[in-house]
Amino acid sequence: MTSNQRTQPLIFLSTDQHVPGHLHYPEDAEPTDIVSRFPAGTFSWNERGQFAEFPAHMSTEIMRELHVAWPYVDISYGKHEGEPTSSTTIKRPTEARPGSWKAMGPRAVAV
């Protein structure tokens, strides 16, 4: 028997630039872990769809933060989430891995 439980995050981006991005968390994830990394108001909760919404232009930043915690993130595109025109799984880049010196940000410069 296969499980329908989501094990990695899913981002949906509409082809309509005025539609916010959708973020679906894995079933066992704590949403506040990712939401707390962004300024207040970045995300809003969609009660009807049961997902977090975010400004679509922030998809790169959202993806980067998701990759800190998850090695893979699913992303799909289309006019409507129920009918995506394409989807793929993005593997975490080396520099986004926890403990990577690049993931720690720029080094402080001594003055």
Side-chain angles (χ1 to χ4, degrees), residues 11-13 75-78 83-88:
I11 290 178
F12 170 77
L13 297 172
I75 188 164
S76 62
Y77 303 91
E83 300 175 17
T85 54
S86 67
S87 61
T88 190

Side-chain angles (χ1 to χ4, degrees), residues 12-54:
F12 170 77
L13 297 172
S14 176
T15 53
D16 180 346
Q17 64 181 352
H18 301 292
V19 174
H22 301 172
L23 174 59
H24 296 272
Y25 292 98
E27 296 292 326
D28 60 348
E30 179 57 47
T32 56
D33 288 345
I34 187 70
V35 172
S36 65
R37 298 176 190 210
F38 292 90
T42 300
F43 292 94
S44 61
W45 185 251
N46 183 308
E47 283 293 331
R48 185 174 180 204
Q50 295 296 299
F51 53 79
E53 293 181 335
F54 61 91

